């Protein structure tokens, strides 16, 4: 099975910073990758699908890029409400594995 | 408004069974895959499995950790999906989410999620 590895596992940044989270697949998955945001105690929320398509209603400061094995989620200007754990997920074929998560905090 | 509501969670002993339901509204149920995902206490997200739409045979896929024990089904006439969980193990404990799967091909991404239902497996 294809493994999904996120880095870093945790991240602390200041309001207004540009933040980048990476996700690496152990084999190529084309662009069949989604990013989710999960705030503490809440249901996961889809941010990005097809590696770079912004889900409706998601703020434009979020963007995704990549194809094949290497992907990034970027927050262009970190806001206090972005404190959350972020997950990538592959869905090119089963199993639809998640990355282990990146916990983002405000410095 | 898209809504997904899970039910059927609770406490079960190891080796016993539970059936979770996912009741959907606000969209044409039969046009979407339905996925099940879970999250153990304090842990990350884990994909459990999904069921395709009838146009793709209504076939199912499962994570290795549940294959042979869990069965996902759907009733498009009632807009309900199910996961039958047999031979439960303590490691099956967690919040179970159902989600709508949007697919341009055979496999979907998961765009809307329910609020989740807690399953606790303990003696």
């Amino acid at each position: 099975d294809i493994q999904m590895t996120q880095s870093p596992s945790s991240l602390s940044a200041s309001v207004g910073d540009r933040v980048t989270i990476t996700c690496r697949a152990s084999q190529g998955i084309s662009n069949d990758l989604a990013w989710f945001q999960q705030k503490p105690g809440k249901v996961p929320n889809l941010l990005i699908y097809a590696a770079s398509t912004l889900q409706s209603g998601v703020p434009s400061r979020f963007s995704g890029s990549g194809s094949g094995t290497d992907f990034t989620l970027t927050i262009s200007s970190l806001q206090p409400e972005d404190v959350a754990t972020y997950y990538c997920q592959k869905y090119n074929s089963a199993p639809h594995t998640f990355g282990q998560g990146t916990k983002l905090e405000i410095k | 408004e898209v809504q997904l509501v899970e039910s059927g969670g609770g406490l079960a002993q190891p080796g016993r069974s539970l059936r979770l339901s996912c009741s959907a509204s606000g969209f044409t149920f039969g046009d979407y895959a339905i996925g099940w995902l879970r999250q153990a206490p304090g842990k990350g997200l884990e994909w459990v499995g999904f069921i395709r739409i009838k146009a793709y045979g209504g076939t199912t896929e499962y994570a290795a950790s549940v294959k042979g024990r869990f069965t996902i089904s759907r009733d498009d006439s009632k807009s309900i999906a199910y996961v039958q969980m047999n031979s439960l193990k303590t490691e099956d404990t967690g919040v179970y989410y159902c989600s709508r799967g949007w697919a341009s091909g055979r496999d979907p991404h998961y765009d809307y999620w329910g609020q989740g239902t807690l399953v606790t497996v303990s003696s």
Side-chain angles (χ1 to χ4, degrees):
Chain A
D1 290 347
I2 296 173
Q3 305 303 311
M4 304 301 292
T5 304
Q6 287 181 234
S7 60
S9 296
S10 62
L11 174 59
S12 181
S14 300
V15 172
D17 281 356
R18 182 181 184 87
V19 171
T20 298
I21 298 169
T22 65
C23 178
R24 176 164 288 176
S26 59
Q27 298 176 40
I29 59 170
S30 186
N31 69 335
D32 294 327
L33 185 100
W35 288 97
F36 293 90
Q37 175 193 63
Q38 187 177 30
K39 296 183 179 181
K42 300 297 186 182
V43 177
N45 181 49
L46 176 67
L47 299 175
I48 303 277
Y49 64 95
S52 61
T53 303
L54 196 67
Q55 173 71 354
S56 176
V58 174
S60 60
R61 64 180 179 274
F62 291 93
S63 64
S65 64
S67 183
T69 60
D70 294 311
F71 303 87
T72 60
L73 172 70
T74 300
I75 307 173
S76 60
S77 178
L78 185 65
Q79 300 301 304
E81 60 266 32
D82 299 335
V83 169
T85 301
Y86 293 83
Y87 296 93
C88 63
Q89 184 196 24
K90 65 172 277 293
Y91 56 91
N92 63 312
S93 64
H96 297 171
T97 309
F98 286 92
Q100 81 277 17
T102 296
K103 187 173 184 179
L104 175 59
E105 298 176 332
I106 299 290
K107 195 181 294 183
Chain B
E1 179 190 7
V2 172
Q3 284 197 318
L4 298 148
V5 179
E6 303 92 341
S7 60
L11 176 64
Q13 292 182 324
R16 303 301 290 263
S17 298
L18 275 178
R19 188 178 79 159
L20 307 183
S21 300
C22 172
S23 181
S25 61
F27 63 99
T28 303
F29 186 78
D31 288 348
Y32 292 86
I34 296 295
W36 287 93
L37 308 100
R38 68 185 180 184
Q39 188 166 35
K43 302 298 184 182
L45 298 172
E46 181 184 9
W47 175 78
V48 172
F50 82 102
I51 185 164
R52 295 183 176 90
I53 62 174
K54 289 292 191 285
Y56 282 102
T59 53
T60 52
E61 305 283 355
Y62 299 97
S65 57
V66 306
K67 196 169 188 178
R69 300 189 298 122
F70 288 16
T71 302
I72 297 171
S73 60
R74 62 188 299 157
D75 185 337
D76 290 352
S77 68
K78 296 180 179 178
S79 298
I80 300 178
Y82 305 95
V83 56
Q84 176 68 42
M85 307 187 296
N86 298 332
S87 304
L88 283 163
K89 304 177 181 181
T90 56
E91 52 263 40
D92 294 320
T93 294
V95 176
Y96 283 71
Y97 300 99
C98 70
S99 64
R100 190 180 82 163
W102 190 92
S104 57
R106 282 176 51 83
D107 286 45
H109 69 270
Y110 303 99
D111 57 1
Y112 288 90
W113 296 46
Q115 290 300 306
T117 187
L118 177 63
V119 171
T120 303
V121 183
S122 174
S123 54

